[in-house]
Amino acid sequence: MSEATVKKEYNPGTIERRWQEKWSESGLYKTDEDPQKPKHYALTMLPYPSGDLHVGHWYPMTPSDTRARFMRMQGYRVFFPIGFDAFGLPAENAAINRGIHPYKWTMSNIENMRGQLRQMGTMFDFDSEIVTCLPEYYRWNQWFFLKFLEKGLAYRKEAPVDWCPKDNTTLAREQVIGPDRRCERCGTPVIKKNLPQWLFKITDYADELLDFSKIDWPERVETLQRNWIGRSTGAEIAFDVPGYGSLEVFTTRPDTLFGATFFVVAPEHPAVEKITTPEQADEVRAYVESAGRMSEIDRTDVTREKTGVFTGAYAINPANAEEIPIYAADYVLLGYGTGAIMAVPAHDERDFEFAKKYGIPIRTVVAPPDWSGEALEEAYTGEGPMVNSDRFDGIPNVEGKKAVTEWLEERGVGRAAVTYRLRDWLISRQRYWGTPIPIVYCQRDGMVPVPEADLPVLLPEDAEFTPTGESPLKLDPDFYNTTCPTCGDPATRETDTMDTFVDSSWYQYRYLSPHYDGGPFDPEEGEKWLPVDQYTGGVEHATMHLLYTRFWTKVMRDLGLVDFDEPMTRLFNQGIILGPDGEKMSKSRGNVVNPQDFVDRYGSDALRCFLMFIGPWNQGGPWDGRGIEGIARFLRRAHSLVAGSDSSGTADPGELGRRTARLVKKVTEDLQAFRFNTALAALMEQTNYLLAVRGEVGDDEWTEALRTFVLVLAPFAPHHAEDMWALMGLPYSVHEQAWPPWDERLIEEEEITLVVQVNGKLRDRIEAPADVSEDLAKELALASAKVRPHLEGREIRKSVYVPGRLVNFVVG
């Protein structure tokens, strides 16, 4: 497109449509495969196709696009793909509530969202798009499942699920609503029920998942994952239960074994029904049902009064052969440890409270300082000499942990052990819209994997959904009934589908070759691009998706598919843009903000820049669209810089050079560190300066300064920069130009810290260019996420600016 064909009137919508068409026609964003350039695989978390994109989608995507554009201009061959995480519960609910098939609903949403993604002005490589609900994708979920099964990493066992007794169906966590945990469909109280479920043995990789030495991830994510994995050292101890056998506990405090005066099992523990005496059966049954209606959060709430019920059974303490009563209590969970604990009330706060309530003896076995044998008034959890512990009396309890464990090992009733809070990954979902699990059940051969050659096991296209939400796979005879791959006898299919986190655990590999038929991805493409160099997404995924994808990559390594240990070398967590009500944007909450309203009025570049300007990207904050007009003015003023003017040559060209060098350095360093807001502040300040000196510097100096300005603007406002570049008569495209260098000798002090006050009270400190103007200083201060809440609903009566030091808003 020549300069002559570029219209000079300013209309953001017209500018953006024109360049989007040109980019599409020219294939500008096809991935650069030049092997001479260093590779950069940039990835942002793929969206769920729930309908229209909202501002909450723009917030993570457009800054990620800006960073990817910057890397491309820095000389990297950049791979920046996009796709859709297309299986899941919302589509199934839409099928039930609207009478539309999940496939049709999902694909219609995807088609709509593709256009919206392009409207953002992103450089996504749509040729690499994946849609996880298509058979060419989920076939490889099934292939991985079979490989996990071969390696002993997939297995089936009974596990508790949320169950609606009226609809006779399992419920996802999202379908259990309210503090009293009711079914969202019919309002019936939900219970826990044990059903055969498929799990992946993520616990086999627990220790390796605690090693973060090979990745540059935020410390917060590392901490969350360490705590979630929860590695503990201690002992496993067997307690004999007469008439039943033994029950094992894991404890980090074997030194307190002589103080165990009762035993607790989770209400859903399979032993409960077997050990409960007839006299206690009705009471225990009622308690188990009541506990099954509670959430794990409520059950583990330390402030809640502890409750339980005596089963009528007793366990034998292996330390002293005492019979101790066995209770079922909801503060013990089946999913943690062994689902049973030895209760030592003298040295555990929960056990102390429980023992007091139920009149259970409290025996001190670790002496507090200056203890003289009196009863404890509260649990003592500190260190001290062991007491009331037979042969171990007088030993410091820290040493006693090892001594007691060795003594138990000698007697064959205990052993040293390591345990984890992490539980194996339950992947079974009792619903239709997910990857079918490739297993067949045969009366003769038992559980039989579907042969690889028969993959994919397809979802039936004519699924019928019932109001209860029961999976159509159970009700479809053509799907359910099959033949055994081993013997040919009649058999039935597994009707569970896979957790959608399976889809997103390895999607970054499929992007490389979305239509490849020889494996999950083309290994030649893997050599070019793997692993991911930069991942962006929310910290809320730390203990699910971000943990699962690390696990998946380690399994892929052990399968010989990759030769590295971690999926993403570097991770950056953006914050969350909140709705006007201060809650996370969500269609279910009804607080989403439609970006189209702002695009139609101001253009997509303005919305992109506004989302990057409102505060540090890693903090997020509530949406307030009033500030976008300031960004729109900035872009209009920036675009006006390309209008010609006669040059007088009276301004200092040296100052222009210094300011240009400072701009390039500032924006470069900010983009490297994801500081989009301060980079934009520098661009705004440079716009003001350039407008002030336009016509007062020589043509050559002006052209070079303007050319550099447009280059560093390009990642942020790609349409505006492309238009300005063309109006300057420069060759298409600005996005294929090299990032400008700067002369360090020209750099002076470039940044200051401004104090922001409201009614004289400190509310924030913000970074700004050293020569920041009063208008920009106030604009930056108003954009602060820490300042805005103190201005909300209040009139700014006066603003005070102390140059280079302070902004104070006086509000009433």
Side-chain angles (χ1 to χ4, degrees), residues 177-182 293-295 298:
I177 59 173
D180 54 351
R181 290 177 42 80
R182 293 180 176 269
R293 291 193 289 269
M294 295 177 64
S295 70
D298 288 337

Side-chain angles (χ1 to χ4, degrees), residues 127-147:
D127 291 341
S128 295
E129 179 191 273
I130 59 167
V131 179
T132 62
C133 68
L134 297 181
E136 71 172 355
Y137 187 88
Y138 72 71
R139 166 193 178 183
W140 298 105
N141 285 347
Q142 295 172 345
W143 182 88
F144 274 119
F145 178 92
L146 296 178
K147 295 301 180 186

Side-chain angles (χ1 to χ4, degrees), residues 675-708:
R675 294 192 299 262
F676 303 103
N677 59 323
T678 52
L680 277 163
L683 282 161
M684 292 176 183
E685 190 67 22
Q686 186 75 348
T687 300
N688 294 339
Y689 173 73
L690 291 174
L691 286 168
V693 301
R694 182 169 59 178
E696 299 180 9
V697 293
D699 288 340
D700 291 345
E701 291 85 356
W702 172 258
T703 299
E704 182 57 29
L706 184 57
R707 178 182 179 278
T708 300

Side-chain angles (χ1 to χ4, degrees), residues 78-79 193 284 361 377 412 476 478 483 531 560 580 603 653 683 775 799:
V78 175
F79 183 45
K193 183 175 180 178
V284 169
E377 295 183 3
D476 186 331
D478 292 335
T483 56
L683 282 161
D775 288 344
S799 58

Side-chain angles (χ1 to χ4, degrees), residues 201-214:
K201 293 191 73 174
I202 190 172
T203 52
D204 278 12
Y205 290 80
D207 279 330
E208 199 176 342
L209 289 167
L210 288 167
D211 179 6
F212 296 89
S213 63
K214 297 178 182 178

Side-chain angles (χ1 to χ4, degrees), residues 36-152:
Q36 301 303 312
K37 296 179 181 178
K39 69 101 173 174
H40 182 77
Y41 186 169
L43 185 65
T44 190
M45 291 182 182
L46 77 176
Y48 182 79
S50 56
D52 290 331
L53 293 175
H54 54 71
V55 165
H57 291 108
W58 280 62
Y59 190 67
M61 287 186 182
T62 50
S64 298
D65 175 72
T66 294
R67 182 67 161 45
R69 289 177 174 279
F70 166 67
M71 296 302 292
R72 174 174 169 158
M73 295 178 75
Q74 287 249 295
Y76 289 85
R77 52 181 171 94
V78 175
F79 183 45
F80 188 49
I82 192 63
F84 299 93
D85 193 10
F87 274 139
L89 190 62
E92 193 147 332
N93 282 343
I96 296 167
N97 298 330
R98 305 175 196 178
I100 184 172
H101 194 281
Y103 178 84
K104 184 177 180 181
W105 184 82
T106 299
M107 298 309 290
S108 173
N109 289 343
I110 287 174
E111 184 60 32
N112 184 47
M113 290 172 71
R114 284 191 187 110
Q116 293 175 324
L117 287 167
R118 287 188 169 93
Q119 190 180 44
M120 288 179 178
T122 53
M123 58 171 275
F124 288 129
D125 180 355
F126 283 94
D127 291 341
S128 295
E129 179 191 273
I130 59 167
V131 179
T132 62
C133 68
L134 297 181
E136 71 172 355
Y137 187 88
Y138 72 71
R139 166 193 178 183
W140 298 105
N141 285 347
Q142 295 172 345
W143 182 88
F144 274 119
F145 178 92
L146 296 178
K147 295 301 180 186
F148 279 42
L149 192 64
E150 289 173 11
K151 286 187 67 67

